Amino acid sequence: MSIQVLERAMILLDELAKQSEPVALKNLAAATGLHTSTTHRILNDLVVGRYVERVDSGLYRLGMRLLELGSLVKGRLNVRAASLGPMRELHKYTGQTVNLSLQQGDEIVYVERSWSESSGMQVVRAIGGHAPLHLTSTGKLFLASWEPRQVRAYVMRTGLAGATRNSITQLDLLERELAQVRRLGYARDNEELEMGVRCIAAGVYDDTGKLLAGLSLSAPAERLHDDWIPVLLNTAAKISETLGYDKQR
């Protein structure tokens, strides 16, 4: 295929992706600005390759080959791999420790970190370390995504044990905190896990819109700036997009 034909094929695939129902040949041609005969010829080649399916005379929809390829791509995408580059950039911008954490039961587990000695904070929880959901900024993101009954069940299981004098150890205070997380779109840890350390976290989402991980900034309490919040949110959004998340969908 020539470059021009490939470009036209991609235009047709993009147009088919916008449609929830099979589309007539003439409508595809009109929507893409391609001549009907050109549209028909390219569609025939795409049908042979199973990228497009002909469901009726003159009606077309995306084919199963795209689903197969998409599944392969999704299987090869890894949240850790997708996060490494953006995490390094965020660390370079802020000079502070950047963490990637996943939920594991009633805790979060740290799976990746970008930091340096110059951050001025002793890193006491290395990769593979874990902490209770309600004591961490990332953990609060996951709790905020749960139904109220799930949060109450968590409280019953854990007893909301505290780690510092700032820890949230009462259900009503936790519910208030989670409501704020939902409203703001990010979460905070105000020296609730370790005195002298504050964190802010933003969610990383997969292609289905599910919260997959939390991206957090950790810094000495006096050095964590709210000016970094938009950069953190943008970095988390960039990783989510790499994983196939579409905020508009």
Side-chain angles (χ1 to χ4, degrees):
M1 280 190 180
S2 69
I3 296 298
Q4 185 182 52
V5 172
L6 284 173
E7 289 176 346
R8 290 173 173 175
M10 286 186 284
I11 289 171
L12 286 168
L13 290 173
D14 285 341
E15 184 59 35
L16 284 169
K18 298 176 185 177
Q19 310 298 326
S20 58
E21 300 292 335
V23 189
L25 172 64
K26 64 178 182 179
N27 292 341
L28 276 173
T32 58
L34 298 174
H35 194 278
T36 303
S37 61
T38 301
T39 303
H40 186 257
R41 184 174 66 253
I42 295 174
L43 284 172
N44 280 343
D45 289 337
L46 292 172
V47 167
V48 171
R50 295 173 53 239
Y51 295 96
V52 170
E53 181 181 356
R54 187 186 293 113
V55 296
D56 201 353
S57 179
L59 293 180
Y60 298 86
R61 67 184 178 193
L62 293 179
M64 293 300 294
R65 183 59 180 155
L66 290 172
L67 178 61
E68 293 167 2
L69 293 175
S71 296
L72 283 173
V73 172
K74 182 180 179 181
R76 291 169 183 169
L77 282 175
N78 177 287
V79 63
R80 180 177 172 275
S83 302
L84 282 173
M87 287 177 68
R88 292 191 186 109
E89 288 298 313
L90 183 59
H91 170 66
K92 184 178 178 181
Y93 180 83
T94 63
Q96 304 304 316
T97 301
V98 181
N99 311 287
L100 183 72
S101 309
L102 306 179
Q103 178 199 347
Q104 190 173 78
D106 289 338
E107 298 181 315
I108 63 160
V109 58
Y110 298 89
V111 295
E112 190 53 71
R113 171 168 284 140
S114 184
W115 69 289
S116 62
E117 295 290 347
S118 61
S119 66
M121 181 182 69
Q122 181 183 7
V123 178
V124 296
R125 281 174 174 77
I127 295 173
H130 49 88
L133 295 176
H134 67 286
L135 298 182
T136 63
S137 53
T138 288
K140 291 176 186 176
L141 292 175
F142 283 100
L143 288 172
S145 72
W146 291 3
E147 296 291 331
R149 60 178 178 78
Q150 293 175 299
V151 174
R152 289 192 294 271
Y154 169 85
V155 172
M156 291 295 293
R157 288 193 304 272
T158 65
L160 289 186
T164 75
R165 63 175 180 267
N166 288 2
S167 300
I168 295 176
T169 58
Q170 298 177 38
L171 175 59
D172 60 335
L173 296 180
L174 179 62
E175 289 175 331
R176 191 182 309 165
E177 180 84 356
L178 299 182
Q180 180 166 285
V181 171
R182 297 184 196 102
R183 179 172 59 83
L184 296 176
Y186 61 86
R188 296 178 182 271
D189 158 16
N190 183 30
E191 300 182 73
E192 296 162 54
L193 183 62
E194 300 173 40
M195 291 306 299
V197 178
R198 293 170 57 214
C199 304
I200 47 177
V204 173
Y205 300 85
D206 66 13
D207 61 327
T208 68
K210 178 184 177 182
L211 179 62
L212 195 62
L215 184 72
S216 64
L217 271 174
S218 300
E222 71 280 2
R223 286 170 53 181
L224 189 67
H225 303 303
D226 282 0
D227 291 348
W228 293 335
I229 293 172
V231 184
L232 173 68
L233 289 169
N234 287 337
T235 303
K238 184 187 301 183
I239 298 170
S240 298
E241 288 171 10
T242 301
L243 296 170
Y245 176 63
D246 183 358
K247 189 175 182 180
Q248 304 302 319
R249 190 165 53 194

